[in-house]
Amino acid sequence: MRAPSPMMRQYELVDRVKAYNPNCDEALLDKAYIYAMKAHGTQKRASGAPYFSHPLEVAAILTDLRLDDATIVAAVLHDTVEDTDSTVADIERLFGAEIAALVDGLTKIKKLDFVSKKATQGENFRKLLLAVAEDVRVLLVKLADRLHNMRTLHFVPPAKRVRIAEETLDIYAPLAGRMGMQDMREELEDLAFQHIKPDAYQTIGERLDRLTAASTGLITEIESVLQARLVERGISAMVKGRRKQPYSIWKKMERKSVSFEQLSDVFGFRVIVDDVDDCYRALGVVHTAWPMVPGRYKDYISTPKQNDYRSIHTTVIGPGHQRAELQIRTRAMDRVAEFGIAAHALYKDGVDPERRPLDDTAAYRWLRHTVDLLAENENPDEFLEHTKLELFHDQVFCFTPKGLLIALPRGATPIDFAYAVHTKVGNTAVGCKVNGRIAPLLSELQNGDEVEIIRSEGQTPPSAWEALVVTGKARAAIRRATRAAVRRQYAGLGRQIVERAFERAGRAFSEDALKAALPRLARTSVEDVLAATGRGEMFSGDVVRAVYPDHLDEKKPAPIQAPAGKGWFGLKKGSHMKFRLPDSERPEAIPIRGLNGDLPVTLAPDGGAVPGDRIVGILNPGEGITIYPIQSSALAAFENEPDRWLDVRWDMEEVGQQRFPARIQLKSINEPGTLAQITHVIAEHSGNIDNISMVRRTPDFTDMTIDLAVWDLKHLNAIIAQLRGKSVVSRIERVIG
Ligand code: MN
């Protein structure tokens, strides 16, 4: 792909295009050549060469990719708007709207100073992708532009070099790979590597040279033996050996932490045949002639890579015990492997009927998909991280039950799969079947897996998933869904609290009245007020007073006096009568539907409440409600904060859906089998034991503390009664923290 030097003449450019496109617009190419030459005038490159040589070299690279007239002309003009007096309007007047749009896209990208601060890198990458998504030919010119700048990077001041090289390795080389342009990717990587790790590059390069010199005979031997065997079997094939690039060898050394001496497969061979059938026949010939290296066989013909790459890969131990990596493919596959998306770009001119429309390529679909992701990500740097990861990851290919192909990065889980199908599918996923069998949602998917997602409506994804998925799309969607769910929970709790506060005040609650009072509360929406109240950041009394300013007379928002005293009943006799009333007489109490309901509820630690207990809720700012049994001595700690006390009651639709922790303490007689008897009684009554701790105070007795999980108070009392009836139990009581 080396472009000619010195500066290409006008007729040379036309000849290069004519060689693959006899119907090209010569006059247009000539006009672009002269226009750009005049526009750049006496400008010079860092190398001292006339600036105009640069756009010509970029155009030359693109003629190697056999691109259409518009792309070649855009390449010749690509720096005129940014670096000379030309305007997009000039270009449009002289060259038409299509070429003007391409040059405009390239000008926009050029304005992004990629190598500046890291803080803006994500945003720039986003703009780059948006600019190229309009027309993928913009990306092709940009990549050729970068390739020529990398080829001449040694003229740039050293301080700038490494940053440009790193950006090339981080973004442009993977992008070229993603567009299927393998040769371009390799050259970009190698040029970047040369400047980022000059010592490593030189060492590997020298050894490669020596090894190549020593094994020249070997490469030709393998080539000719292979060729002969294939011909024997009636397969016409072209065999071409090549050595790998320093960067790909260095990457392998890093990844596998092996030294260059141990790295045996530095030579690769391409076997190009006529059709798919011959690919598999050639593979048979190869595997019959030499032993294959296990685990290295990959069939990208039956399952192409996401960038449309198709080929069979295998590694054999060839003559001289030298490992040789083989790629077997057809001519058409070879062209896609080399040119990638550019192999299809000429379709527009109708030059090559074999080429597919660009939009029909997987590489283009990936680009569109990535741009769609942009819309969902608020933070551009996060986006850059995700996209970078996805650029580098290998892919796994999975299928929906209907046979739709879903490509995911390696390491992806069924949750990633669900989100790749649709955000709604991900948000409602509760289980999955992989290849027809129930599998954990967090297993790692393999190539060819058929995945069926089991869904349940009204579900919220657990926030823990966020750290476990690998695709940016799933991560962003989970974060959004959990944020929304938490906010809904707090708003729901806030609504209950606010409605009850209005009831106590003898006032009517309406959203409209609250809306009118928003400025007084310095909030922007009703939901905002309710969520803030639920989170404990705003008190319900203040909300009532905001709506009814004349309500200032009310002394306390809730008729609660400070509880005091400790003991079996945490609340002092006479006070808090309200909380002691039976549930049926407190209709305004907030119903608690267990731990998985729509309120942010937790239970007090160390002997909390179970359904059936009379309960009190304590509002913890930012954490929701903690439920205490009314006897809890821990309640004394909140006696001076009446605003945090919430009137709550159990409202369990069905007992037996959820277990609740309860703690019992007992003194048992020491004799063989005591513990077995006790645990047997608990098991018989279907109580779960979470924890047992024992202290032997005397030779005769042991004190035990048992943490149980029970359905409700009735269940707990039944277990206590049964244990009390045992002769080995001398004393038993429930413990309330
Ligand atoms: Mn340029």
Side-chain angles (χ1 to χ4, degrees), residues 45 51 54-55 58 75 78-79 83 110 142 145-146 148-149:
R45 294 270 290 170
Y51 194 93
H54 163 68
V58 174
H78 83 270
D79 279 332
D83 294 342
K110 187 154 192 203
K142 184 65 205 173
D145 178 42
R146 177 52 63 115
H148 183 244
N149 286 335

mmCIF file with all atom_site columns, all heavy atoms in Angstrom, residues 45 51 54-55 58 75 78-79 83 110 142 145-146 148-149, ligand 1:
data_model
loop_
_atom_site.group_PDB
_atom_site.id
_atom_site.type_symbol
_atom_site.label_atom_id
_atom_site.label_alt_id
_atom_site.label_comp_id
_atom_site.label_asym_id
_atom_site.label_entity_id
_atom_site.label_seq_id
_atom_site.pdbx_PDB_ins_code
_atom_site.Cartn_x
_atom_site.Cartn_y
_atom_site.Cartn_z
_atom_site.occupancy
_atom_site.B_iso_or_equiv
_atom_site.pdbx_formal_charge
_atom_site.auth_seq_id
_atom_site.auth_comp_id
_atom_site.auth_asym_id
_atom_site.auth_atom_id
_atom_site.pdbx_PDB_model_num
ATOM   1   N  N   . ARG A 1 45  ? 4.738   21.083 4.772  1.00 0.00 ? 45  ARG A N   1
ATOM   2   C  CA  . ARG A 1 45  ? 4.562   20.077 5.818  1.00 0.00 ? 45  ARG A CA  1
ATOM   3   C  C   . ARG A 1 45  ? 5.703   20.195 6.821  1.00 0.00 ? 45  ARG A C   1
ATOM   4   O  O   . ARG A 1 45  ? 6.715   20.851 6.540  1.00 0.00 ? 45  ARG A O   1
ATOM   5   C  CB  . ARG A 1 45  ? 4.619   18.676 5.193  1.00 0.00 ? 45  ARG A CB  1
ATOM   6   C  CG  . ARG A 1 45  ? 3.469   18.389 4.245  1.00 0.00 ? 45  ARG A CG  1
ATOM   7   C  CD  . ARG A 1 45  ? 2.301   17.792 4.954  1.00 0.00 ? 45  ARG A CD  1
ATOM   8   N  NE  . ARG A 1 45  ? 2.567   16.411 5.402  1.00 0.00 ? 45  ARG A NE  1
ATOM   9   C  CZ  . ARG A 1 45  ? 1.745   15.763 6.228  1.00 0.00 ? 45  ARG A CZ  1
ATOM   10  N  NH1 . ARG A 1 45  ? 0.668   16.350 6.690  1.00 0.00 ? 45  ARG A NH1 1
ATOM   11  N  NH2 . ARG A 1 45  ? 2.014   14.527 6.582  1.00 0.00 ? 45  ARG A NH2 1
ATOM   12  N  N   . TYR A 1 51  ? 2.874   21.199 1.138  1.00 0.00 ? 51  TYR A N   1
ATOM   13  C  CA  . TYR A 1 51  ? 1.715   20.634 1.844  1.00 0.00 ? 51  TYR A CA  1
ATOM   14  C  C   . TYR A 1 51  ? 0.855   19.794 0.907  1.00 0.00 ? 51  TYR A C   1
ATOM   15  O  O   . TYR A 1 51  ? 0.322   18.754 1.297  1.00 0.00 ? 51  TYR A O   1
ATOM   16  C  CB  . TYR A 1 51  ? 0.865   21.742 2.484  1.00 0.00 ? 51  TYR A CB  1
ATOM   17  C  CG  . TYR A 1 51  ? -0.120  21.172 3.473  1.00 0.00 ? 51  TYR A CG  1
ATOM   18  C  CD1 . TYR A 1 51  ? 0.196   21.069 4.819  1.00 0.00 ? 51  TYR A CD1 1
ATOM   19  C  CD2 . TYR A 1 51  ? -1.358  20.669 3.050  1.00 0.00 ? 51  TYR A CD2 1
ATOM   20  C  CE1 . TYR A 1 51  ? -0.671  20.493 5.721  1.00 0.00 ? 51  TYR A CE1 1
ATOM   21  C  CE2 . TYR A 1 51  ? -2.239  20.087 3.939  1.00 0.00 ? 51  TYR A CE2 1
ATOM   22  C  CZ  . TYR A 1 51  ? -1.885  20.009 5.276  1.00 0.00 ? 51  TYR A CZ  1
ATOM   23  O  OH  . TYR A 1 51  ? -2.748  19.425 6.162  1.00 0.00 ? 51  TYR A OH  1
ATOM   24  N  N   . HIS A 1 54  ? 0.565   15.997 0.755  1.00 0.00 ? 54  HIS A N   1
ATOM   25  C  CA  . HIS A 1 54  ? -0.179  15.201 1.753  1.00 0.00 ? 54  HIS A CA  1
ATOM   26  C  C   . HIS A 1 54  ? -1.561  14.760 1.254  1.00 0.00 ? 54  HIS A C   1
ATOM   27  O  O   . HIS A 1 54  ? -1.836  13.549 1.222  1.00 0.00 ? 54  HIS A O   1
ATOM   28  C  CB  . HIS A 1 54  ? -0.255  15.967 3.079  1.00 0.00 ? 54  HIS A CB  1
ATOM   29  C  CG  . HIS A 1 54  ? -1.293  15.474 4.024  1.00 0.00 ? 54  HIS A CG  1
ATOM   30  N  ND1 . HIS A 1 54  ? -1.200  14.239 4.639  1.00 0.00 ? 54  HIS A ND1 1
ATOM   31  C  CD2 . HIS A 1 54  ? -2.464  16.018 4.439  1.00 0.00 ? 54  HIS A CD2 1
ATOM   32  C  CE1 . HIS A 1 54  ? -2.273  14.062 5.410  1.00 0.00 ? 54  HIS A CE1 1
ATOM   33  N  NE2 . HIS A 1 54  ? -3.052  15.120 5.301  1.00 0.00 ? 54  HIS A NE2 1
ATOM   34  N  N   . PRO A 1 55  ? -2.445  15.690 0.823  1.00 0.00 ? 55  PRO A N   1
ATOM   35  C  CA  . PRO A 1 55  ? -3.736  15.219 0.316  1.00 0.00 ? 55  PRO A CA  1
ATOM   36  C  C   . PRO A 1 55  ? -3.592  14.264 -0.874 1.00 0.00 ? 55  PRO A C   1
ATOM   37  O  O   . PRO A 1 55  ? -4.416  13.352 -1.021 1.00 0.00 ? 55  PRO A O   1
ATOM   38  C  CB  . PRO A 1 55  ? -4.469  16.506 -0.083 1.00 0.00 ? 55  PRO A CB  1
ATOM   39  C  CG  . PRO A 1 55  ? -3.488  17.602 -0.011 1.00 0.00 ? 55  PRO A CG  1
ATOM   40  C  CD  . PRO A 1 55  ? -2.386  17.169 0.897  1.00 0.00 ? 55  PRO A CD  1
ATOM   41  N  N   . VAL A 1 58  ? -2.874  10.855 0.532  1.00 0.00 ? 58  VAL A N   1
ATOM   42  C  CA  . VAL A 1 58  ? -4.107  10.310 1.128  1.00 0.00 ? 58  VAL A CA  1
ATOM   43  C  C   . VAL A 1 58  ? -4.997  9.750  0.018  1.00 0.00 ? 58  VAL A C   1
ATOM   44  O  O   . VAL A 1 58  ? -5.536  8.639  0.126  1.00 0.00 ? 58  VAL A O   1
ATOM   45  C  CB  . VAL A 1 58  ? -4.836  11.398 1.947  1.00 0.00 ? 58  VAL A CB  1
ATOM   46  C  CG1 . VAL A 1 58  ? -6.187  10.884 2.445  1.00 0.00 ? 58  VAL A CG1 1
ATOM   47  C  CG2 . VAL A 1 58  ? -3.975  11.849 3.116  1.00 0.00 ? 58  VAL A CG2 1
ATOM   48  N  N   . ALA A 1 75  ? -10.744 13.331 -0.707 1.00 0.00 ? 75  ALA A N   1
ATOM   49  C  CA  . ALA A 1 75  ? -9.412  13.160 -0.122 1.00 0.00 ? 75  ALA A CA  1
ATOM   50  C  C   . ALA A 1 75  ? -8.469  14.264 -0.598 1.00 0.00 ? 75  ALA A C   1
ATOM   51  O  O   . ALA A 1 75  ? -7.707  14.836 0.184  1.00 0.00 ? 75  ALA A O   1
ATOM   52  C  CB  . ALA A 1 75  ? -8.858  11.785 -0.483 1.00 0.00 ? 75  ALA A CB  1
ATOM   53  N  N   . HIS A 1 78  ? -9.445  17.397 1.244  1.00 0.00 ? 78  HIS A N   1
ATOM   54  C  CA  . HIS A 1 78  ? -9.853  17.247 2.647  1.00 0.00 ? 78  HIS A CA  1
ATOM   55  C  C   . HIS A 1 78  ? -9.316  18.314 3.592  1.00 0.00 ? 78  HIS A C   1
ATOM   56  O  O   . HIS A 1 78  ? -9.935  18.604 4.604  1.00 0.00 ? 78  HIS A O   1
ATOM   57  C  CB  . HIS A 1 78  ? -9.544  15.839 3.176  1.00 0.00 ? 78  HIS A CB  1
ATOM   58  C  CG  . HIS A 1 78  ? -8.134  15.629 3.642  1.00 0.00 ? 78  HIS A CG  1
ATOM   59  N  ND1 . HIS A 1 78  ? -7.146  15.191 2.807  1.00 0.00 ? 78  HIS A ND1 1
ATOM   60  C  CD2 . HIS A 1 78  ? -7.555  15.791 4.851  1.00 0.00 ? 78  HIS A CD2 1
ATOM   61  C  CE1 . HIS A 1 78  ? -6.012  15.088 3.482  1.00 0.00 ? 78  HIS A CE1 1
ATOM   62  N  NE2 . HIS A 1 78  ? -6.225  15.450 4.728  1.00 0.00 ? 78  HIS A NE2 1
ATOM   63  N  N   . ASP A 1 79  ? -8.190  18.942 3.312  1.00 0.00 ? 79  ASP A N   1
ATOM   64  C  CA  . ASP A 1 79  ? -7.652  19.950 4.232  1.00 0.00 ? 79  ASP A CA  1
ATOM   65  C  C   . ASP A 1 79  ? -7.874  21.384 3.750  1.00 0.00 ? 79  ASP A C   1
ATOM   66  O  O   . ASP A 1 79  ? -7.422  22.325 4.405  1.00 0.00 ? 79  ASP A O   1
ATOM   67  C  CB  . ASP A 1 79  ? -6.147  19.721 4.452  1.00 0.00 ? 79  ASP A CB  1
ATOM   68  C  CG  . ASP A 1 79  ? -5.888  18.632 5.485  1.00 0.00 ? 79  ASP A CG  1
ATOM   69  O  OD1 . ASP A 1 79  ? -6.751  18.446 6.379  1.00 0.00 ? 79  ASP A OD1 1
ATOM   70  O  OD2 . ASP A 1 79  ? -4.839  17.968 5.397  1.00 0.00 ? 79  ASP A OD2 1
ATOM   71  N  N   . ASP A 1 83  ? -7.554  24.483 6.380  1.00 0.00 ? 83  ASP A N   1
ATOM   72  C  CA  . ASP A 1 83  ? -6.213  25.079 6.350  1.00 0.00 ? 83  ASP A CA  1
ATOM   73  C  C   . ASP A 1 83  ? -6.009  26.193 5.313  1.00 0.00 ? 83  ASP A C   1
ATOM   74  O  O   . ASP A 1 83  ? -4.934  26.783 5.255  1.00 0.00 ? 83  ASP A O   1
ATOM   75  C  CB  . ASP A 1 83  ? -5.158  23.984 6.078  1.00 0.00 ? 83  ASP A CB  1
ATOM   76  C  CG  . ASP A 1 83  ? -5.064  22.997 7.227  1.00 0.00 ? 83  ASP A CG  1
ATOM   77  O  OD1 . ASP A 1 83  ? -5.537  23.345 8.334  1.00 0.00 ? 83  ASP A OD1 1
ATOM   78  O  OD2 . ASP A 1 83  ? -4.540  21.895 7.029  1.00 0.00 ? 83  ASP A OD2 1
ATOM   79  N  N   . LYS A 1 110 ? -11.387 17.373 11.935 1.00 0.00 ? 110 LYS A N   1
ATOM   80  C  CA  . LYS A 1 110 ? -10.056 17.958 12.074 1.00 0.00 ? 110 LYS A CA  1
ATOM   81  C  C   . LYS A 1 110 ? -10.027 18.973 13.200 1.00 0.00 ? 110 LYS A C   1
ATOM   82  O  O   . LYS A 1 110 ? -9.014  19.154 13.865 1.00 0.00 ? 110 LYS A O   1
ATOM   83  C  CB  . LYS A 1 110 ? -9.631  18.612 10.763 1.00 0.00 ? 110 LYS A CB  1
ATOM   84  C  CG  . LYS A 1 110 ? -8.197  19.062 10.868 1.00 0.00 ? 110 LYS A CG  1
ATOM   85  C  CD  . LYS A 1 110 ? -7.487  19.141 9.575  1.00 0.00 ? 110 LYS A CD  1
ATOM   86  C  CE  . LYS A 1 110 ? -5.991  19.308 9.854  1.00 0.00 ? 110 LYS A CE  1
ATOM   87  N  NZ  . LYS A 1 110 ? -5.276  19.897 8.766  1.00 0.00 ? 110 LYS A NZ  1
ATOM   88  N  N   . LYS A 1 142 ? -10.605 9.696  6.596  1.00 0.00 ? 142 LYS A N   1
ATOM   89  C  CA  . LYS A 1 142 ? -9.939  10.041 7.860  1.00 0.00 ? 142 LYS A CA  1
ATOM   90  C  C   . LYS A 1 142 ? -8.857  8.998  8.194  1.00 0.00 ? 142 LYS A C   1
ATOM   91  O  O   . LYS A 1 142 ? -7.761  9.346  8.644  1.00 0.00 ? 142 LYS A O   1
ATOM   92  C  CB  . LYS A 1 142 ? -10.978 10.112 8.985  1.00 0.00 ? 142 LYS A CB  1
ATOM   93  C  CG  . LYS A 1 142 ? -10.418 10.553 10.316 1.00 0.00 ? 142 LYS A CG  1
ATOM   94  C  CD  . LYS A 1 142 ? -9.911  11.973 10.264 1.00 0.00 ? 142 LYS A CD  1
ATOM   95  C  CE  . LYS A 1 142 ? -8.844  12.220 11.318 1.00 0.00 ? 142 LYS A CE  1
ATOM   96  N  NZ  . LYS A 1 142 ? -8.233  13.554 11.166 1.00 0.00 ? 142 LYS A NZ  1
ATOM   97  N  N   . ASP A 1 145 ? -5.966  9.517  5.953  1.00 0.00 ? 145 ASP A N   1
ATOM   98  C  CA  . ASP A 1 145 ? -5.293  10.734 6.412  1.00 0.00 ? 145 ASP A CA  1
ATOM   99  C  C   . ASP A 1 145 ? -4.373  10.401 7.590  1.00 0.00 ? 145 ASP A C   1
ATOM   100 O  O   . ASP A 1 145 ? -3.205  10.761 7.633  1.00 0.00 ? 145 ASP A O   1
ATOM   101 C  CB  . ASP A 1 145 ? -6.377  11.741 6.816  1.00 0.00 ? 145 ASP A CB  1
ATOM   102 C  CG  . ASP A 1 145 ? -5.813  13.035 7.366  1.00 0.00 ? 145 ASP A CG  1
ATOM   103 O  OD1 . ASP A 1 145 ? -4.833  13.538 6.795  1.00 0.00 ? 145 ASP A OD1 1
ATOM   104 O  OD2 . ASP A 1 145 ? -6.366  13.549 8.365  1.00 0.00 ? 145 ASP A OD2 1
ATOM   105 N  N   . ARG A 1 146 ? -4.925  9.644  8.560  1.00 0.00 ? 146 ARG A N   1
ATOM   106 C  CA  . ARG A 1 146 ? -4.142  9.275  9.726  1.00 0.00 ? 146 ARG A CA  1
ATOM   107 C  C   . ARG A 1 146 ? -2.974  8.371  9.335  1.00 0.00 ? 146 ARG A C   1
ATOM   108 O  O   . ARG A 1 146 ? -1.866  8.503  9.852  1.00 0.00 ? 146 ARG A O   1
ATOM   109 C  CB  . ARG A 1 146 ? -5.060  8.596  10.772 1.00 0.00 ? 146 ARG A CB  1
ATOM   110 C  CG  . ARG A 1 146 ? -4.354  8.095  12.016 1.00 0.00 ? 146 ARG A CG  1
ATOM   111 C  CD  . ARG A 1 146 ? -3.490  9.141  12.706 1.00 0.00 ? 146 ARG A CD  1
ATOM   112 N  NE  . ARG A 1 146 ? -4.222  10.284 13.219 1.00 0.00 ? 146 ARG A NE  1
ATOM   113 C  CZ  . ARG A 1 146 ? -4.324  10.581 14.517 1.00 0.00 ? 146 ARG A CZ  1
ATOM   114 N  NH1 . ARG A 1 146 ? -3.754  9.825  15.417 1.00 0.00 ? 146 ARG A NH1 1
ATOM   115 N  NH2 . ARG A 1 146 ? -4.996  11.641 14.888 1.00 0.00 ? 146 ARG A NH2 1
ATOM   116 N  N   . HIS A 1 148 ? -1.302  8.331  6.511  1.00 0.00 ? 148 HIS A N   1
ATOM   117 C  CA  . HIS A 1 148 ? -0.201  9.109  5.932  1.00 0.00 ? 148 HIS A CA  1
ATOM   118 C  C   . HIS A 1 148 ? 0.504   9.941  6.996  1.00 0.00 ? 148 HIS A C   1
ATOM   119 O  O   . HIS A 1 148 ? 1.737   10.044 7.005  1.00 0.00 ? 148 HIS A O   1
ATOM   120 C  CB  . HIS A 1 148 ? -0.684  10.014 4.794  1.00 0.00 ? 148 HIS A CB  1
ATOM   121 C  CG  . HIS A 1 148 ? 0.453   10.760 4.149  1.00 0.00 ? 148 HIS A CG  1
ATOM   122 N  ND1 . HIS A 1 148 ? 0.563   12.129 4.186  1.00 0.00 ? 148 HIS A ND1 1
ATOM   123 C  CD2 . HIS A 1 148 ? 1.561   10.305 3.507  1.00 0.00 ? 148 HIS A CD2 1
ATOM   124 C  CE1 . HIS A 1 148 ? 1.695   12.488 3.577  1.00 0.00 ? 148 HIS A CE1 1
ATOM   125 N  NE2 . HIS A 1 148 ? 2.309   11.406 3.146  1.00 0.00 ? 148 HIS A NE2 1
ATOM   126 N  N   . ASN A 1 149 ? -0.259  10.510 7.934  1.00 0.00 ? 149 ASN A N   1
ATOM   127 C  CA  . ASN A 1 149 ? 0.375   11.278 9.012  1.00 0.00 ? 149 ASN A CA  1
ATOM   128 C  C   . ASN A 1 149 ? 1.255   10.383 9.884  1.00 0.00 ? 149 ASN A C   1
ATOM   129 O  O   . ASN A 1 149 ? 2.293   10.825 10.374 1.00 0.00 ? 149 ASN A O   1
ATOM   130 C  CB  . ASN A 1 149 ? -0.689  11.967 9.866  1.00 0.00 ? 149 ASN A CB  1
ATOM   131 C  CG  . ASN A 1 149 ? -1.296  13.166 9.150  1.00 0.00 ? 149 ASN A CG  1
ATOM   132 O  OD1 . ASN A 1 149 ? -0.660  13.753 8.271  1.00 0.00 ? 149 ASN A OD1 1
ATOM   133 N  ND2 . ASN A 1 149 ? -2.522  13.508 9.497  1.00 0.00 ? 149 ASN A ND2 1
HETATM 134 MN MN  . MN  B 2 .   ? -4.866  15.832 6.459  1.00 0.00 ? 1   MN  B MN  1
#
